[in-house]
Amino acid sequence: MQLIQYMLANHVFESILAFITLCGIIFNIWLGFRTLTAELTKQNIELNAQRQSLLEQDQANKVALWRTYNPLPSLKEQADLGEGNIPAFYEIHNNSTLPIFDIFVIAVSSKSGSRLDNFFMPYSNSSPEDYFKYISYLKIVAPQHRVQGFVYGHGTGMGETDDFVYIFRDTRGIVWFRGNTGFLEKIGSQSDLYTLMDRVKINIHDPRFFSRPSIMEPI
C-alpha cells in the first residue's frame, strides 16, 4: 500500500513538474512572440517615417544650386561693381515638375560649413543694415527652369571665398534649407522660417531683397 501511495505521489509530482515546465515553455514562447511583435512594430514605424521623409523630400531633392563663374552677359552687365560690391553669381535649377516659391539665396563664407542649427549671417562683422547685399530673393522658379542671379560677397582671400546657402518653399508648403555642405534640412512652416530669420537678424520684408535682377529660362 505504501509503495502504491509513493508511486502515486511521485506520479503527481512529476505531472505537476511537467505542467510547470510546459507553462514555462508556453510563457517563453509568448514572451518571444511579444518581443518580436514589438520589434517588428518599431521597425515598421521607422520605415514608415523614412518613407514619409522621402516623400516629403521628393520635390526638394530635385532643386539644386551652385556658383557659376560664367554668368549670362546680360546679367553680368546688371551687377553693380561699385566700391565694396563683389558679385557672386549663382545658378539654381528646379528639375521637378512643380514650381518652388520664396527662394532666398544667401552668401556665406566657404569656411562656415553652414547647417540649420549653426546658421548665422555670413559675415558677423557686417551690420544688419548691410545684410541685404548678401541676399537674393526669388518669388518663384517654374518647373524645369533654371535661374541665374547674384548676391554680393567679400570675394576670395585668406583661404576662403563666397559660398551659398538657400531656402525655398515647395508646393506642400514645406520650407527647406540646404547649406553649403550640401545637406537638405527641413525648416517646417512659413512661421518657422520667420523664427529662423529673426534669430539671424534678417528682415525678411526688406524691399531691397526683391529688387535684385535675375534671369529665368527653361533647362
Side-chain angles (χ1 to χ4, degrees):
M1 178 64 68
Q2 289 181 346
L3 179 60
I4 294 174
Q5 289 178 341
Y6 171 77
M7 293 176 63
L8 183 60
N10 188 58
H11 177 72
V12 170
F13 174 77
E14 289 178 350
S15 298
I16 293 173
L17 185 61
F19 177 75
I20 292 173
T21 302
L22 179 62
C23 288
I25 293 171
I26 293 173
F27 176 77
N28 286 333
I29 292 173
W30 173 81
L31 185 62
F33 178 76
R34 184 174 180 181
T35 302
L36 177 62
T37 301
E39 183 61 29
L40 289 174
T41 300
K42 179 183 176 183
Q43 290 179 6
N44 283 334
I45 291 172
E46 291 174 351
L47 285 173
N48 286 335
Q50 290 175 5
R51 290 193 193 100
Q52 180 63 29
S53 178
L54 289 173
L55 183 63
E56 281 187 345
Q57 294 177 16
D58 181 60
Q59 184 185 6
N61 276 325
K62 295 173 182 174
V63 178
L65 178 145
W66 57 87
R67 184 170 184 175
T68 178
Y69 294 92
N70 297 297
L72 297 168
S74 56
L75 181 66
K76 191 173 182 178
E77 290 172 1
Q78 298 180 71
D80 179 5
L81 299 178
E83 184 178 355
N85 288 339
I86 303 174
F89 295 91
Y90 64 83
E91 186 165 316
I92 183 168
H93 281 216
N94 177 13
N95 291 299
S96 77
T97 57
L98 296 167
I100 57 173
F101 307 92
D102 297 327
I103 305 99
F104 289 87
V105 181
I106 304 171
V108 296
S109 166
S110 58
K111 285 186 174 180
S112 66
S114 294
R115 297 287 299 271
L116 191 53
D117 61 353
N118 68 355
F119 173 58
F120 55 89
M121 269 311 292
Y123 305 107
S124 58
N125 59 337
S126 300
S127 164
E129 283 300 308
D130 294 328
Y131 283 175
F132 77 95
K133 294 181 180 180
Y134 311 120
I135 301 172
S136 177
Y137 172 83
L138 304 168
K139 180 66 178 174
I140 187 171
V141 177
Q144 302 296 319
H145 277 66
R146 69 171 186 165
V147 171
Q148 279 197 5
F150 65 90
V151 295
Y152 293 110
H154 280 197
T156 301
M158 302 297 290
E160 62 183 322
T161 188
D162 297 308
D163 217 341
F164 302 108
V165 304
Y166 59 105
I167 296 167
F168 62 95
R169 178 169 55 86
D170 66 16
T171 52
R172 292 171 175 261
I174 301 173
V175 182
W176 298 94
F177 174 97
R178 195 184 289 276
N180 62 333
T181 55
F183 287 98
L184 178 69
E185 299 177 87
K186 180 179 176 180
I187 293 177
S189 66
Q190 200 78 356
S191 176
D192 295 322
L193 172 61
Y194 294 153
T195 300
L196 171 66
M197 292 303 204
D198 285 344
R199 176 168 65 82
V200 296
K201 296 181 171 58
I202 295 175
N203 178 8
I204 200 170
H205 302 295
D206 189 329
R208 293 173 294 182
F209 294 158
F210 313 124
S211 60
R212 187 155 294 136
S214 61
I215 298 175
M216 181 164 60
E217 60 184 16
I219 296 174

